[in-house]
Amino acid sequence: MRVHDREPIAAAMRRFKKLIERSGMKKELRAHEYYEKPCEERSRKERNRANVIRKAALGRPPKERKAF
């Protein structure tokens, strides 16, 4: 990332944070923060899948992702 000549450091940090978040690096870092055994990962994904199915059955609209 290049910082412009007269760009305030706060604006550059904001741009950097958005860049990191959009690239998915932040999510990946959090995923690798602690070791998760494969069986725990499978059970977590299965729980998440069951929650999505349950919420869909209740008639709640899915969370919308903001597109920038």
Side-chain angles (χ1 to χ4, degrees), residues 19-52:
L19 180 72
I20 293 294
E21 195 168 326
R22 286 181 187 154
S23 71
M25 193 181 302
K26 188 175 182 179
K27 189 175 183 179
E28 187 176 338
L29 285 172
R30 284 190 179 178
H32 293 287
E33 192 171 1
Y34 300 105
Y35 177 72
E36 185 176 26
K37 295 195 307 190
C39 62
E40 292 172 348
E41 183 179 359
R42 281 192 303 270
S43 63
R44 177 180 51 82
K45 286 182 180 179
E46 183 60 37
R47 270 196 320 271
N48 289 343
R49 192 176 309 120
N51 284 339
V52 168

Side-chain angles (χ1 to χ4, degrees), residues 4-16:
H4 305 297
D5 291 337
R6 295 184 180 175
E7 182 179 18
I9 195 73
M13 285 297 293
R14 235 177 297 128
R15 275 194 319 122
F16 178 71

